[in-house]
Amino acid sequence: MELEQQAEGSNQLVSAAFMATVLLLGISGAFQWPVLSLFLTRNTGATPMMVGAFYTVNAIAGIGMSQLIARRSDATGNRRNLIIACCSIAVVNALLFAYNRHYWVLISLGVLMSAVSIAAMPQVFALARQYADQTGGEVVKFTTRMRAQISLSWIVAPPLAFFTLAHFGFTVLYLIVASLFALALLLVVALLPSLPALPVQAIETGPNVSKTKDRDVWWLFAAFALLWAGDAMYLIDMPLYISSLSHVAAGFAGWLLGVGAGFEVLIVLFSVTLIHRFGKRPLLLVGVLSAVVFYAGMALVVSPQALMAIQIFNALFIGIVGGMGMLYMQDLLPAAPGSASTLYSNSVSTGAIIAGLLQGLVSENLGHQPVYWVAMVISLLALGMALRVKKA
């Protein structure tokens, strides 16, 4: 009995460490991404096209690097050691942004380190899935609770980021980001388990050996890529758009993101029950339709009250798709959780590539509101692709 209690206590501590690690990584990202377009515009003299190019190059590098790391983690690598390496480089990268204001240095060295850094999150989720499987935990509940930590981070971080920017500037902001990554690194070193990767043979002989030919996987990937393209266009453009509205207070962009994330937390947690009752596919379609409605609203409304109100649709989209997307991909590729997690993560990066190309082109030539009409159209395309996914 005493041994069982000790084991239960150990499992709870490790579970809490996973939650805290994801929360810190989420806060780190939510602290810097909403203000990145402003940073590049104000501090490096980047044009809208150069801002879009930065996001595109960053995403391409992230896809390549995270895929290499995923292969290693699924084959012979230890995920915990890889996470440690990614977090360490993330600290250095944040310090680079804190003290460097040269666009070409940031788009080269900064992007290279960022590409390694962003692999930390999918690897943490892959390690968590492996840990839950080995300890008999409920995977859906555990993974969804972890995803809720990301939504929690977006409640607090964007308003604080814009407050920090207004009162202390970008150097202090990126020093805070470096500190958050350092705290995450300490948690990983101290508390996350070191689990052996699946043997290569287990991956090669698994039921999804034909994963690269599985049409459901690639339709789902394509749908996610388009959905995250719309979301990335929103994240890139919205702070610039809001700052151009004379009747909207400074920092309102941070509050929009925070309120939307607050709704997301409730939706992510409630989605566990909905997944068990209705399945992932119907919920996915609801999430996609919510994205379509949200972008139409962004294109049509300009009052602060209306902009705040339509965040419920953004929350439905992010809460549902972001909450179960990685789990959905893992279910389609059960023999390779690292590759599945990274494939989902790469759908986000692929979306950022599309967004970087489209947002700068549209905003520079047509203005801000047409950006959201484009996001709505590609979300409709994503709906068509999601309808092709038959499994789960």
Side-chain angles (χ1 to χ4, degrees), residues 32 35-47 50 54 92-110 164-165 168-176:
Q32 57 185 324
V35 301
L36 179 58
S37 57
L38 293 175
F39 171 78
L40 294 171
T41 301
R42 295 178 183 177
N43 287 267
T44 71
T47 66
M50 290 171 71
F54 188 94
V92 178
N93 191 45
L95 293 175
L96 176 68
F97 274 77
Y99 294 109
N100 187 280
R101 298 294 183 268
H102 300 285
Y103 178 85
W104 296 108
V105 173
L106 296 175
I107 201 174
S108 54
L109 181 59
T164 302
L165 177 59
F168 303 103
F170 282 105
T171 297
V172 171
L173 185 145
Y174 281 108
L175 287 175
I176 292 173

Side-chain angles (χ1 to χ4, degrees), residues 21 24-29 32-33 58 65 69 81-99 109-121 124 173-186 188:
T21 301
L24 285 170
L25 292 177
I27 292 174
S28 301
Q32 57 185 324
W33 287 111
N58 188 64
M65 190 62 70
I69 292 173
N81 290 341
L82 291 171
I83 296 166
I84 290 171
C86 292
C87 288
S88 300
I89 292 173
V91 173
V92 178
N93 191 45
L95 293 175
L96 176 68
F97 274 77
Y99 294 109
L109 181 59
V111 161
L112 178 62
M113 289 194 289
S114 178
V116 178
S117 303
I118 62 174
M121 187 71 85
V124 171
L173 185 145
Y174 281 108
L175 287 175
I176 292 173
V177 172
S179 301
L180 291 168
F181 276 121
L183 286 174
L185 174 62
L186 290 175
V188 174

Side-chain angles (χ1 to χ4, degrees), residues 215-229:
R215 284 179 292 182
D216 276 344
V217 170
W218 292 110
W219 279 123
L220 187 61
F221 175 85
F224 284 157
L226 290 179
L227 289 170
W228 295 126

Side-chain angles (χ1 to χ4, degrees), residues 33 59 103 165 200 231 239 298 336 338 341 357 373:
W33 287 111
Y103 178 85
L165 177 59
V200 176
D231 182 60
M298 284 296 300
S341 300
L357 295 171
W373 288 120

